[in-house]
Amino acid sequence: MTIANAVAMAHRLLADKLATARTVVDATAGNGRDTLFLAANTPGDAVVWAFDRQQAALDNTARLLAEHGLGGKCRLVADCHSRLGDYVSGPVDAAMFNLGYLPGGDHGFTTCAASTVAALGCLTGLLAPGGLVTVVAYHGHPAGCEENAAVAEYLAKLPQTAFAVAAWRMLNQRNRPPILYIIGRTGRETA
Ligand SMILES: C[S@@+](CC[C@H](N)C(=O)[O-])C[C@H]1O[C@@H](n2cnc3c(N)ncnc32)[C@H](O)[C@@H]1O
């Protein structure tokens, strides 16, 4: 295995789970690269839910999916990911968060601590036993730093009988590289 950036590592960690997934979530669709990854690596009858508050992001995502013939299995939702429980009934097998701003878009419009933590709370409640969530957090700017602290605080308090939580980051990279969090539901709480 080679060591890659945080998003590529998230993809690798999710790949096995996606092979048998029925319901997956991209909490931050952006330009659609993660949505495309989820759609391309799940069975044909899986449903991929993708959320973004910016219509421009969803338009980009829809275009990318259409180019790959994968739009049919995706549900694109123009709403805050903190409300994903209004759309997704679960159980969710896998989910991704790639926090921050839309690349090529308005850098002032970013994910924020309160709604990200609310969305994580919702998703952990919907997660199937054995399910996985990845979060890539960019803490190199003030808002991202605050958001990352809130995410880390929330995740550290998840009960260890129900969830296994890990963090991964490059140690020798300049400019505060992103942190990848991995949350797995153990299923032990029902044993
Ligand atoms: C770093 S980008 C995501 C990159 C994307 N996954 C990709 O593969 O291109 C972050 C996205 O989160 C979106 N976003 C910000 N706040 C949000 C919220 N509360 N709910 C859903 N999406 C949000 C932004 O509009 C932006 O498009």
Side-chain angles (χ1 to χ4, degrees), residues 19-112:
T20 56
R22 304 294 306 268
T23 303
V24 303
V25 174
D26 183 350
T28 52
N31 288 322
R33 293 173 57 160
D34 295 320
T35 311
L36 176 64
F37 169 77
L38 296 173
N41 289 283
T42 42
D45 60 353
V47 175
V48 180
W49 291 90
F51 292 82
D52 207 293
R53 285 178 60 210
Q54 296 192 76
Q55 189 56 47
L58 294 176
D59 292 345
N60 292 348
T61 298
R63 199 175 311 115
L64 187 64
L65 292 168
E67 280 167 18
H68 289 80
L70 287 166
K73 68 198 291 191
C74 300
R75 310 282 178 269
L76 307 188
V77 183
D79 203 347
C80 177
H81 42 218
S82 62
R83 282 190 285 275
L84 64 90
D86 293 349
Y87 304 87
V88 185
S89 53
V92 171
D93 299 296
M96 294 189 72
F97 289 75
N98 189 348
L99 303 177
Y101 53 78
L102 178 67
D106 177 0
H107 289 197
F109 191 104
T110 69
T111 53
C112 69

Side-chain angles (χ1 to χ4, degrees), residues 66-188:
E67 280 167 18
H68 289 80
L70 287 166
K73 68 198 291 191
C74 300
R75 310 282 178 269
L76 307 188
V77 183
D79 203 347
C80 177
H81 42 218
S82 62
R83 282 190 285 275
L84 64 90
D86 293 349
Y87 304 87
V88 185
S89 53
V92 171
D93 299 296
M96 294 189 72
F97 289 75
N98 189 348
L99 303 177
Y101 53 78
L102 178 67
D106 177 0
H107 289 197
F109 191 104
T110 69
T111 53
C112 69
S115 49
T116 298
V117 168
L120 280 168
C122 187
L123 253 182
T124 48
L126 292 172
L127 202 60
L132 283 177
V133 181
T134 61
V135 182
V136 175
Y138 302 84
H139 57 122
H141 58 101
C145 192
E146 183 192 330
E147 181 179 38
N148 176 58
V151 166
E153 185 185 355
Y154 172 77
L155 295 180
K157 287 182 182 156
L158 286 175
Q160 70 179 56
T161 48
F163 298 97
V165 182
W168 178 94
R169 71 187 167 100
M170 296 292 292
L171 288 179
N172 66 335
Q173 227 175 51
R174 286 187 293 273
N175 300 328
R176 309 194 76 184
I179 300 176
L180 166 62
Y181 298 98
I182 309 119
I183 305 114
R185 184 162 167 210
T186 63
R188 284 205 307 271

